[in-house]
Amino acid sequence: MTAVPSTSAPLVIQAAKEAAWTILVVGLLSFLMVGYQTEVLQGQQMSFVNRFGDVIWAMVLIPIGRFLLVLARGGLLLPPAVLGGIATLYLFGAAVLGLAGSPLYGQLPLPYDQPMVNAIFGVGAVFILAAAIKGQRDRRRGAQTLEMREAAEARQARIARNMSSILGPILIVLAIVIPWTPWGDRAVVDSLVLVMTYVMLGWGLNIVVGLAGLLDLGYVAFYAVGAYTYAKLSIALGFTFWESLPIAGALAALFGVLLGFPVLRLRGDYLAIVTLGFGEIIRIVLINWQSFTGGPNGLGNITRIDFFGLPFERNPAPGTESFHTFFGLEFASTHRVFFLYYVIIVLALITNFVTIRLRKMPIGRAWEALREDETACRALGINPTNTKLTAFAIGAMFAGFAGSFFAARQGFVSPESFTFIESAVILAIVVLGGMGSQVGVALAALLLIGLPEVLRDLSLYRMLVFGGVMVLIMLWRPKGLLAYREPTLLLHGRRKRNKAGVQS
Amino acid sequence: MSAAMAAVSPAADTLLNVERLTMRFGGLIAINDVSFVAKRRQITGIIGPNGAGKTTLFNCITGFYKPTVGRLTLHGDAGHTYLLEQMDGFRIGQKARVARTFQNIRLFTGMSVLENLMVAQHNKLMLASGYTVLGLFGWPSFRRAERDARDKAVHWLEKTRLIGVADQPAGSLPYGDQRRLEIARAMCTDPIMLCLDEPAAGLNPRESADLNSLLLSIRDEFGIGLLLIEHDMSVVMGISDHIVVLDYGRKIAEGTPLDIRNDPAVIRAYLGEDGQE
Amino acid sequence: MEWLFELFHQVNYELPKFVQFLIVGLTLGSIYGLIAIGYTMVYGIIGMINFAHGDIYMIGAFQAMIVLLICGTLGISWVPLQLLLMLVVAVALTAAYGWSVERIAYRPLRGTQRLAPLISAIGMSIFLQNYVQLVQGPRPKPVEPVISGGVTVLTRADGFVAQLGYLQIVIVLLTVALMAGFTLLITRTSLGRAQRACEQDMKMASLLGVNVDRTISLTFVMGAGLAAVAGMMVTLYWGNNDFHMGFNAGIKAFTAAVLGGIGSLPGAMLGGVLIGLIEAFWSGYFTAEYKDVAAFSILVLVLIFRPTGLLGRPEVEKV
């Protein structure tokens, strides 16, 4: 601690420089965009409202934050930690009061009217606090050597592995029992159905991106194919959900092969743009092929899911049974929601199980090998095109199942549900989860889909927070939440391997 | 030129027959009318100064490049012949069973050592798993094939002294081990010809001596032909049965190590006596 | 000779329409091309798809629009001065956005796994869209035309007129001038040299004393500046800005960059112009609804026959 004053003098100067630069940048960023809020008047005239107060506050608060952050990263603990801590408590506390509608909020001296904006600045304060603690820890450890960094990485991988093996079963059990707990009301289970759909999509895309290393930005197209397949089969031919499920999967896989065949030769990012284009083409066709897809309004009146032939209806048609009449229960709207929930859990777990099995098959190893080095694969006599196509088709098939489920749940489908942003979110789930990690993908889906559901009340800020969280998680864990890779087969077993690791 | 043609007459133990191979990249002629024969149960060394076209020759043989002119005939088992210049890259490994290693090692670094060797047996296992369908249900014949594949991998791990690190990521091995692993991986494809691109590069003398005995034992135990690009003369001269010398894309000499050592053209190419640039 | 006359007549009849589509296509193409340069430069130097670039363009459009409105309240009505102010202010302030996005969301992720910056960019794109929606409101903003009128190029017997608007002339000329200046910048200045060095080998460049961080930052600044010019053009041309406008334009421009060969500056411009022309002619002769399908299909076709785009350097496989 005694060394601090001597090193902190240049640190303070450096931090001051950074802060000055930040004042300039924040001023440039916010002067027009925040300072002049344009408003459309009647008659298509425009005027603006000036909000220079907001600009000034940003130009004061953000540079202070930057100043403290530089200090914290430089290893200075107390000032950043204390100020950051106070700011965190104050801004978040105030935001909570404001969101709860407390009259006290209006009396607190706060930079912004909107509680959420104050809360966002509060997040910045948390950042400073975290950086101060981390900076202190790094300082105590001294300069990092390469060995230390490798050891730290190995430790993190081990933690990720242990977390996964513990967390996986816990999550499955939790998922199964939650409808029967006091928290499992209709709205929560409904949200969880959505989360589980994305877990399934994430696991499906994980085959393509995580295992085979193919960057697919149009995954939602296969989801759409599945959804519209069930919608059409149900409306035109009267198929039930269970009858059309395999057809939807097969059709989506077929689309995967049709798209994949010409383009899988392309490398990396060229493939990405082509898959993105494919996703957009499907969406445009869905919008414009009025006679077949119902255009922008989509298709409605899709047969809802039934309990293996028993519909969930209050008043079944005369002479037919409904779920509640058959089992002699009181009619409840939760029956269908709960049933949907368990259906999607089973579908998702099948996806998971098949993926885990596939990884240990020759094809799964070939996918991973292709991801690592396509040239070496060719030298070993592995057909790259076929191998990629299988990954593409199997990934698409699971998206087709999920899409079919989506249509059965909603009762209607429209192109709006299949925009690029959906593909991006599914991809983000895979990458944030830690590519290849099944538990990580589930966690990321819970976070990315569950969070906006929780924040539903903050309508305007919901997606802002969503985008911000995506960036922050990536910055926090660039390799994903649970990044580790378990070999598909072990020669010596785990215990011996760890020992061998120590010896070498 | 016609003399070179006459010298190439396919004998019973001919494995690879390279005839009048030429490879052009735009205006650059990387290989110019090269012909030679590589035999079974022999190590054929290919030497030459940097830029002589050795790696390009390998890339033509293993299908990474399509030769501009020329014919590459591989005489496989049971009288099958393959025209390598007409085959897709991966089929040369799959059907003609030519395996190779790379000058800058190309392992699947994130996968374990054992997995690298399992990937090498992909085509056999793929068939045994009924193109994955039977494998998913744990079909017995697939399990047996998987066990056999594992045994073969273990055999090669023991042979290359990598058994202790079988479960470690391939990328974490020291350089010399990676070189040996790459050879083990190539051998797991059951090749009839193995092309080695500078396997001794970056090895210390002891490792290099080890490598010699490994290559000799591969030749003698498996009866396959080896094609070896190498700069380390102690390796090439020590173990090659036959040597082809390339310079500026042309074959300038061919013969036993003793012939090559005393060949004036070779000495000129390496020492540049006549002042070529 | 009858048929020749007939043909001539037919061509004469169709020509004005054709010329009109050509003009519209070139204008659109200039705008796409300017955005595409941002994608291609960033891809060339750090190999990432900057998904937030479309939103940077959107912010450029908004800032140009606000400058125009401020000009109105200050009583500046001389059009050239308005244009100059829009150009300078929008470029400067949007460049700050380009710089900040790189500094906050991409720089800390350099050297980690390949997909991390991509996800960060997607998150940034969502963030920027919603930020603009919050601070500027969700409604589309109508902008009154500043430059109107044009010259008649061709007239048809039935009264159809192919017109070349003054604004279209300004857009195309400005684009050509910027391209020329930009090519000079990349080929002649030390900044351009540093940039090309980083493209080839970032580690080696930094060992030789190139300030890699600064070079990459400047790449984002330049890309954002050009996107702001495109945003300004679109504000003047369509005059209907909303927070979501960056998405479509971004995808189009990215397609253009890939079509031209990602990493190649002339390729980006060529790709932009081609996409613009495809859109204009497809909408003109077939249906406007499927113009994007046409653009993507042509991209796929080009990539099948030239896997690295029209002007991209063919990838030589090193084994």
Side-chain angles (χ1 to χ4, degrees):
Chain A
M1 277 296 133
T2 47
V4 170
S6 62
T7 53
S8 65
L11 187 65
V12 168
I13 291 170
Q14 191 203 339
K17 274 188 194 157
E18 287 276 340
W21 177 243
T22 311
I23 294 177
L24 177 69
V25 172
V26 172
L28 289 176
L29 293 182
S30 56
F31 174 61
L32 284 185
M33 289 306 280
V34 180
Y36 290 84
Q37 180 178 17
T38 50
E39 282 186 342
V40 185
L41 304 176
Q42 277 184 338
Q44 303 294 288
Q45 284 287 316
M46 283 214 284
S47 75
F48 32 68
V49 179
N50 283 123
R51 290 181 315 186
F52 292 125
D54 291 356
V55 175
I56 304 284
W57 269 115
M59 284 174 72
V60 171
L61 289 181
I62 298 177
I64 291 179
R66 180 74 197 153
F67 182 76
L68 292 175
L69 194 65
V70 174
L71 289 186
R73 288 198 177 139
L76 203 63
L77 176 66
L78 275 184
V82 170
L83 284 173
I86 292 171
T88 307
L89 286 177
Y90 181 64
L91 289 170
F92 268 124
V96 169
L97 284 181
L99 290 175
S102 159
L104 199 61
Y105 182 79
Q107 283 151 32
L108 289 172
L110 282 165
Y112 295 98
D113 300 336
Q114 292 289 334
M116 267 311 282
V117 180
N118 289 322
I120 287 169
F121 279 86
V123 172
V126 174
F127 231 70
I128 296 166
L129 193 59
I133 294 166
K134 186 170 173 294
Q136 190 61 22
R137 205 181 54 196
D138 289 351
R139 202 183 143 77
R140 201 174 305 132
R141 284 195 192 145
Q144 262 199 329
T145 61
L146 190 65
E147 284 81 26
M148 280 169 68
R149 199 157 53 205
E150 272 174 7
E153 267 173 26
R155 197 171 54 240
Q156 283 211 333
R158 208 164 48 238
I159 292 170
R161 195 185 67 211
N162 295 340
M163 282 282 282
S164 309
S165 51
I166 299 166
L167 222 55
I170 292 179
L171 281 178
I172 292 176
V173 170
L174 264 183
I176 289 171
V177 300
I178 212 151
W180 311 104
T181 62
W183 306 286
D185 66 1
R186 203 198 134 127
V188 168
V189 176
D190 217 27
S191 299
L192 284 177
V193 171
L194 192 69
V195 171
M196 285 310 291
T197 312
Y198 278 86
V199 170
M200 178 171 176
L201 286 168
W203 279 338
L205 184 63
N206 197 13
I207 296 174
V208 183
V209 180
L211 291 184
L214 303 167
L215 184 48
D216 183 352
L217 290 177
Y219 192 60
V220 78
F222 306 122
Y223 187 46
V225 168
Y228 273 82
T229 303
Y230 173 51
K232 284 308 277 189
L233 285 176
S234 153
I235 295 167
L237 303 170
F239 276 45
T240 67
F241 171 70
W242 299 104
E243 286 161 350
S244 39
L245 191 64
I247 304 176
L251 210 60
L254 181 70
F255 266 79
V257 172
L258 287 182
L259 165 71
F261 198 68
V263 302
L264 281 177
R265 298 186 311 136
L266 300 175
R267 290 196 174 227
D269 300 326
Y270 288 92
L271 180 67
I273 177 72
V274 172
T275 50
L276 192 159
F278 178 69
E280 285 295 293
I281 287 176
I282 293 273
R283 196 175 60 85
I284 294 166
V285 170
L286 290 180
I287 291 175
N288 292 303
W289 194 3
Q290 289 276 357
S291 57
F292 189 74
T293 64
N297 299 325
L299 297 167
N301 291 328
I302 302 167
T303 316
R304 296 294 196 100
I305 199 162
D306 55 33
F307 187 83
F308 308 105
L310 296 170
F312 293 95
E313 271 171 41
R314 186 185 293 276
N315 303 312
T320 61
E321 292 265 34
S322 179
F323 176 76
H324 67 285
T325 59
F326 186 82
F327 286 100
L329 299 166
E330 190 81 1
F331 175 80
S333 61
T334 49
H335 288 161
R336 178 169 48 219
V337 178
F338 279 30
F339 181 62
L340 276 170
Y341 180 63
Y342 285 112
V343 168
I344 189 65
I345 284 189
V346 168
L347 285 177
L349 285 180
I350 289 174
T351 312
N352 181 34
F353 178 73
V354 171
T355 310
I356 290 173
R357 288 286 292 174
L358 281 174
R359 245 195 101 214
K360 301 187 175 182
M361 293 286 116
I363 188 75
R365 288 192 203 114
W367 288 338
E368 292 197 77
L370 262 184
R371 179 192 66 200
E372 306 250 317
D373 193 330
E374 185 170 339
T375 303
C377 279
R378 267 187 289 161
L380 295 174
I382 296 172
N383 183 339
T385 315
N386 286 357
T387 309
K388 287 182 191 173
L389 267 183
T390 21
F392 227 62
I394 292 175
M397 180 183 76
F398 286 122
F401 290 152
S404 184
F405 173 82
F406 173 80
R409 173 188 174 228
Q410 299 283 88
F412 78 96
V413 288
S414 75
E416 232 171 83
S417 314
F418 308 105
T419 55
F420 167 73
I421 203 75
E422 298 295 313
S423 292
V425 166
I426 303 167
L427 181 68
I429 286 173
V430 174
V431 178
L432 289 180
M435 292 206 289
S437 162
Q438 300 290 96
V439 180
V441 167
L443 274 185
L446 189 62
L447 198 69
L448 280 192
I449 307 303
L451 188 73
E453 291 290 306
V454 173
L455 299 180
R456 202 160 269 281
D457 298 339
L458 307 173
S459 52
L460 264 180
Y461 293 89
R462 198 164 67 108
M463 290 310 281
L464 185 84
V465 172
F466 179 80
V469 165
M470 245 161 105
V471 176
L472 288 181
I473 298 182
M474 221 61 264
L475 294 180
W476 175 48
R477 310 217 81 170
K479 286 181 179 164
L481 292 172
L482 289 178
Y484 82 106
R485 183 182 177 279
E486 182 84 349
T488 56
L489 80 170
L490 291 171
L491 194 61
H492 302 304
R494 192 173 290 165
R495 195 177 308 147
K496 181 126 178 250
R497 185 183 56 162
N498 285 346
K499 215 165 26 176
V502 173
Q503 281 162 1
S504 66
Chain B
M1 295 300 139
S2 59
M5 279 298 282
V8 182
S9 59
D13 58 350
T14 295
L15 179 58
L16 174 72
N17 194 352
V18 177
E19 292 168 273
R20 311 209 60 167
L21 182 72
T22 299
M23 181 75 212
R24 264 192 214 107
F25 296 107
L28 177 84
I29 303 177
I31 302 179
N32 194 354
D33 201 24
V34 168
S35 304
F36 67 93
V37 166
K39 296 189 169 146
R40 266 170 230 283
R41 285 177 293 279
Q42 276 204 353
I43 296 179
T44 308
I46 296 174
I47 61 170
N50 284 328
K54 303 180 299 281
T55 299
T56 307
L57 175 68
F58 262 35
N59 285 339
C60 289
I61 293 170
T62 51
F64 284 93
Y65 297 158
K66 288 269 164 275
T68 318
V69 185
R71 173 177 288 187
L72 299 159
T73 319
L74 186 87
H75 299 272
D77 295 335
H80 282 297
T81 57
Y82 300 96
L83 297 177
L84 299 186
E85 79 279 4
Q86 293 174 6
M87 293 170 77
D88 269 351
F90 74 92
R91 280 190 212 287
I92 291 178
Q94 190 181 29
K95 296 272 190 300
R97 306 209 339 254
V98 175
R100 73 170 290 177
T101 65
F102 295 90
Q103 198 172 337
N104 39 353
I105 308 172
R106 283 177 171 269
L107 292 169
F108 307 120
T109 47
M111 302 173 81
S112 76
V113 169
L114 180 62
E115 283 175 312
N116 267 271
L117 301 189
M118 296 297 280
V119 170
Q121 305 177 58
H122 174 77
N123 288 313
K124 206 170 53 188
L125 287 172
M126 200 64 190
L127 217 59
S129 72
Y131 295 95
T132 311
V133 180
L134 299 180
L136 272 182
F137 298 103
W139 205 258
S141 71
F142 168 66
R143 286 203 206 149
R144 208 175 315 124
E146 178 97 353
R147 205 162 44 236
D148 291 348
R150 206 176 103 129
D151 290 345
K152 171 176 275 180
V154 168
H155 170 80
W156 279 102
L157 287 174
E158 276 163 356
K159 210 170 166 59
T160 50
R161 289 183 289 103
L162 293 170
I163 193 82
V165 290
D167 294 332
Q168 309 237 335
S172 69
L173 302 189
Y175 195 78
D177 289 0
Q178 293 200 9
R179 283 264 176 228
R180 288 206 309 285
L181 176 57
E182 211 187 10
I183 295 172
R185 188 180 68 180
M187 285 310 294
C188 277
T189 62
D190 284 326
I192 59 168
M193 184 164 92
L194 175 61
C195 304
L196 299 154
D197 197 345
E198 300 196 21
L203 301 190
N204 63 34
R206 206 184 57 106
E207 288 174 322
S208 170
D210 265 7
L211 179 75
N212 279 3
S213 54
L214 176 66
L215 296 184
L216 286 173
S217 85
I218 286 174
R219 178 192 69 181
D220 298 337
E221 278 175 41
F222 296 86
I224 69 174
L226 278 77
L227 216 53
L228 173 70
I229 294 181
E230 192 44 77
H231 280 297
D232 186 336
M233 285 302 155
S234 73
V235 176
V236 190
M237 292 298 170
I239 64 172
S240 297
D241 301 291
H242 187 81
I243 291 178
V244 175
V245 188
L246 297 181
D247 188 26
Y248 292 105
R250 286 177 175 279
K251 184 177 81 177
I252 57 168
E254 185 175 16
T256 63
L258 199 64
D259 297 340
I260 296 301
R261 219 186 287 265
N262 302 321
D263 192 307
V266 176
I267 295 167
R268 208 164 37 242
Y270 271 89
L271 302 178
E273 273 179 354
D274 64 3
Q276 277 185 336
E277 72 275 67
Chain C
M1 291 312 272
E2 187 79 4
W3 63 272
L4 198 65
F5 186 76
E6 189 66 27
L7 185 73
F8 180 76
H9 191 77
Q10 191 70 30
V11 167
N12 210 11
Y13 186 77
E14 289 294 337
L15 199 60
K17 255 205 166 128
F18 181 85
V19 169
Q20 188 67 72
F21 296 150
L22 192 70
I23 294 169
V24 171
L26 282 177
T27 315
L28 264 181
S30 301
I31 295 170
Y32 289 149
L34 285 178
I35 311 174
I37 289 176
Y39 280 108
T40 222
M41 279 200 311
V42 166
Y43 189 88
I45 199 161
I46 50 175
M48 75 168 279
I49 304 171
N50 180 10
F51 259 104
H53 190 60
D55 303 291
I56 296 283
Y57 149 83
M58 175 267 293
I59 285 174
F62 265 84
Q63 307 209 86
M65 174 188 81
I66 295 170
V67 174
L68 186 63
L69 285 177
I70 295 174
C71 282
T73 56
L74 294 181
I76 300 170
S77 56
W78 191 47
V79 174
L81 184 60
Q82 283 183 337
L83 291 186
L84 189 70
L85 282 175
M86 280 169 87
L87 191 70
V88 172
V89 178
V91 165
L93 298 193
T94 309
Y97 273 91
W99 185 86
S100 309
V101 166
E102 192 272 336
R103 182 70 191 79
I104 294 168
Y106 308 154
R107 192 184 293 178
L109 293 174
R110 214 177 291 151
T112 58
Q113 58 141 326
R114 188 172 63 99
L115 289 184
L118 180 76
I119 299 302
S120 189
I122 292 174
M124 211 59 201
S125 162
I126 296 172
F127 182 86
L128 286 177
Q129 276 181 31
N130 287 278
Y131 158 75
V132 173
Q133 186 188 5
L134 266 178
V135 294
Q136 292 292 335
R139 285 185 62 184
K141 313 281 181 188
V143 182
E144 278 175 37
V146 177
I147 306 174
S148 48
V151 286
T152 303
V153 186
L154 285 168
T155 318
R156 200 161 70 184
D158 64 0
F160 179 84
V161 175
Q163 209 187 32
L164 176 60
Y166 294 129
L167 180 59
Q168 287 165 326
I169 300 175
V170 170
I171 288 177
V172 174
L173 284 185
L174 188 55
T175 305
V176 170
L178 277 174
M179 267 312 281
F182 214 67
T183 312
L184 280 181
L185 188 75
I186 296 298
T187 52
R188 297 288 157 79
T189 65
S190 65
L191 168 65
R193 207 156 41 236
Q195 217 170 18
R196 280 176 292 145
C198 288
E199 263 177 50
Q200 299 281 323
D201 188 337
M202 204 179 286
K203 201 174 279 173
M204 196 61 216
S206 89
L207 286 175
L208 293 175
V210 174
N211 187 338
V212 172
D213 280 347
R214 218 193 70 180
T215 310
I216 293 175
S217 280
L218 280 172
T219 307
F220 276 85
V221 163
M222 289 188 293
L226 291 178
V229 178
M232 172 191 131
M233 289 171 172
V234 127
T235 304
L236 295 170
Y237 195 60
W238 298 125
N240 197 24
N241 295 348
D242 66 41
F243 69 97
H244 203 254
M245 66 192 280
F247 175 72
N248 247 321
I251 287 199
K252 245 24 122 24
F254 181 45
T255 309
V258 176
L259 182 64
I262 197 151
S264 149
L265 289 183
M269 212 56 232
L270 175 69
V273 170
L274 281 178
I275 296 279
L277 288 174
I278 293 166
E279 266 197 53
F281 280 102
W282 194 275
S283 318
Y285 287 115
F286 305 104
T287 56
E289 289 84 39
Y290 286 104
K291 65 183 198 298
D292 295 352
V293 174
F296 282 123
S297 308
I298 285 175
L299 173 77
V300 172
L301 280 180
V302 167
L303 286 184
I304 286 172
F305 293 107
R306 283 193 63 97
T308 50
L310 291 171
L311 299 185
R313 260 173 270 131
E315 246 172 71
V316 178
E317 198 170 14
K318 273 279 197 196
V319 276

